Amino acid sequence: MVFSTTTQYALKILAYLNEHKEGLCSAKTLSEELDIPYKYLTKIMTKFTKNEMIESVQGRYGGFKLIDSKIITIYDILKLCDGDSAKDCIIGKIECNERKRCHYHDAWQKPRESIKKDFLDADLKGCISKES
Amino acid sequence: MVFSTTTQYALKILAYLNEHKEGLCSAKTLSEELDIPYKYLTKIMTKFTKNEMIESVQGRYGGFKLIDSKIITIYDILKLCDGDSAKDCIIGKIECNERKRCHYHDAWQKPRESIKKDFLDADLKGCISKES
DNA sequence: TCTAATTACTACTAAAAAGTAGTATTTGAA
DNA sequence: TTCAAATACTACTTTTTAGTAGTAATTAGA
Ligand code: SF4
Ligand code: SF4
């Protein structure tokens, strides 16, 4: 696996919110639309809210929405869901420093740069879904 | 995380074997040199052997070695350790087909190609570790 | 033949991730 | 004011992954 189930849920949720900027999306709607276990989803949503990645409105007719002014990168999402992973090297746990490179460094170099540049640093709102 | 602990162990082990092609490496040596729990390591090694990714010699003075004739890609290792992941799309679990692309497809496109081409398809033996 | 060092096998435990249950709190509208 | 529908909170269960324990089988060499 590359991204955890939680991260994948998160990506789906935020993409959905991004496509429904007018008004609020309830956890029920998100759960049904995105096929994510309701209770698990609410757990994630609360975490997002606490970390000020999204806004929540409580009470009846409440729900969630993106914060317009806020730029969220995919790296932000990863940090929040998978913890402190996705650091510089994504292989990780293999000892290395400037002097000593692991066996895979060169092969990993290009993908690594591409992930960082084209994906992790990408603003969520800049990603556009297509249907054709 | 990007690769599971098991996969990371596997990558380290195979890299080590690749750098010690003469003779056999015992589980004890591998465990100590690579700082991998002995019992966990032997479990992995047996699996590799069964899947004919490496050769084992039992009994005293036994150990493990790569099979010279065999090409092992990083994708092979992933398949064996993480199960059926690392399929075409590494985000996975997000529904898509040729008509409907998920929100992240374009941003993911380049990293995805790079991972596949430069890393997953790379022959283990072609990766070279450096010390300077 | 015996032994010590090794891999192979079976089964268990611990930790982490994913998922579930129940209740409390909030809040707009009837 | 009451109520229904929503988020927030606390705690638990299940599943998966990581790690451990003990023993059997193998084998080169003394
Ligand atoms: S040497 Fe390169 S690929 Fe290997 S662990 Fe370090 S940064 Fe990652
Ligand atoms: S649309 Fe592209 S990025 Fe999204 S799940 Fe499908 S292949 Fe992966």
Side-chain angles (χ1 to χ4, degrees), chain B:
Chain B
M1 175 173 309
V2 172
F3 300 110
S4 69
T5 302
T6 302
T7 299
Q8 293 181 31
Y9 286 166
L11 290 171
K12 288 170 79 171
I13 292 165
L14 292 171
Y16 189 92
L17 291 182
N18 190 51
E19 286 164 0
H20 297 79
K21 285 174 182 163
E22 336 73 43
L24 299 165
C25 300
S26 72
K28 184 160 175 282
T29 303
L30 289 168
S31 166
E32 286 168 356
E33 291 290 316
L34 303 174
D35 197 33
I36 299 171
Y38 176 78
K39 283 287 191 180
Y40 199 76
L41 181 136
T42 57
K43 207 191 247 176
I44 299 174
M45 297 315 278
T46 302
K47 189 158 74 174
F48 284 163
T49 304
K50 277 192 178 168
N51 283 272
E52 295 176 337
M53 289 183 76
I54 58 174
E55 266 177 336
S56 76
V57 176
Q58 289 189 36
R60 197 172 190 180
Y61 308 106
F64 303 93
K65 61 177 293 197
L66 290 182
I67 300 170
D68 285 336
S69 60
K70 183 134 189 174
I71 290 175
I72 301 174
T73 67
I74 290 163
Y75 181 68
D76 293 330
I77 302 170
L78 250 74
K79 259 196 302 190
L80 204 55
C81 297
D82 280 1
D84 187 3
S85 60
K87 42 209 155 184
D88 270 353
C89 174
I90 322 201
I91 294 182
K93 284 195 188 170
I94 298 177
E95 312 74 30
C96 74
N97 51 50
E98 295 94 53
R99 283 211 202 140
K100 193 171 185 344
R101 299 299 192 190
C102 88
H103 189 75
Y104 307 97
H105 185 87
D106 289 350
W108 182 242
Q109 181 92 329
K110 280 167 74 179
R112 178 190 179 189
E113 279 170 9
S114 189
I115 287 175
K116 191 102 182 51
K117 179 163 162 295
D118 296 316
F119 195 60
L120 291 182
D121 284 347
D123 175 14
L124 168 75
K125 290 165 196 164
C127 303
I128 296 165
S129 72
K130 283 182 196 165
E131 203 159 344
S132 63

